Amino acid sequence: MPIHKIPVIAIDGPSASGKGTIAQLVAKKLGFHYLDSGALYRLVALKTMQSHANIHDTNLLASIARDLHVVFNQGEVYLDNQTVTDDIRAEQCGILASQLAAYPQVREALTERQRAFCQPPGLVTDGRDMGSVIFPDATLKIFLTASAETRAHRRYKQLIEKGISANIADLLQDIQKRDERDSHRSAAPLQQGADAKLLDTTSLTISQVQDTVLSWYNEICAKNSGLNAK
Ligand code: DC
């Protein structure tokens, strides 16, 4: 494992696997920056809908992605100075994000923007290609997953807690469709890299998952400091 100046923990995995929750908790614990890369794809989708852009015009979509005026501040997301934190979480936005994310031009347009989040003292990031494409030299790469049924139940609970009505069968179908599209596209498909550690959270609590990630990270730091001392 290479020794880096700025440590990066890259957490990739399918929709509703809990990557965002875990990445944020770990970032807080370590005092690191946090990048929710899915939010960027969702913002491109929102801007595309707002501007009624043709969702097949890849040059236009790439320019939307490149020119996004976005601010992330204390859990809030602003697009063109408007709060869009909840808007980008809408199911429709997630579905369009997954479609637009299949275009290499859109991915390319977001690459440098994502890398710019790598600032001292470190970064925790989650998405689909954080370890494979955006931060290939990440200190720790994790593929976080859970069964589709477990993910549908977790999403259901989240929605009900927010007072939003939901149906488990529909959620499961959406998750399966999204998995299919995100894993089978040709540009940066979602898959567990050979150098990523698998973390199946189906029967784990949030704090067990958080502790596992932190202990893996601490192991790497201890190993690297041993190498530095030699
Ligand atoms: O993680 P999420 O559900 O917020 O992401 C929304 C969509 O964006 C997801 O279906 C696929 C796409 N995405 C991607 O292709 N690459 C990433 N690094 C993050 C998200």
Side-chain angles (χ1 to χ4, degrees), residues 12-16 19 36-42 88-89 93-102 107 114 126-130 134 155 178 181-182 185 187-188:
D12 289 306
S15 188
K19 333 178 272 299
D36 168 6
S37 64
L40 291 173
Y41 288 92
R42 287 171 181 268
I88 61 165
R89 294 293 141 209
C93 216
I95 292 167
L96 183 58
S98 166
Q99 289 168 353
L100 304 183
R107 308 196 69 81
Q114 293 173 86
D126 73 85
R128 304 295 187 290
D129 62 342
M130 295 299 96
I134 306 296
R155 173 69 46 97
R178 186 98 63 94
R181 194 165 38 229
D182 293 347
R185 67 186 180 214

Side-chain angles (χ1 to χ4, degrees), residues 158-178:
Q158 265 177 1
L159 292 171
I160 296 298
E161 276 167 10
K162 281 191 197 163
I164 302 170
S165 67
N167 172 300
I168 293 202
D170 289 347
L171 289 173
L172 179 60
Q173 209 182 26
D174 281 353
I175 281 176
Q176 285 167 333
K177 264 198 215 149
R178 186 98 63 94

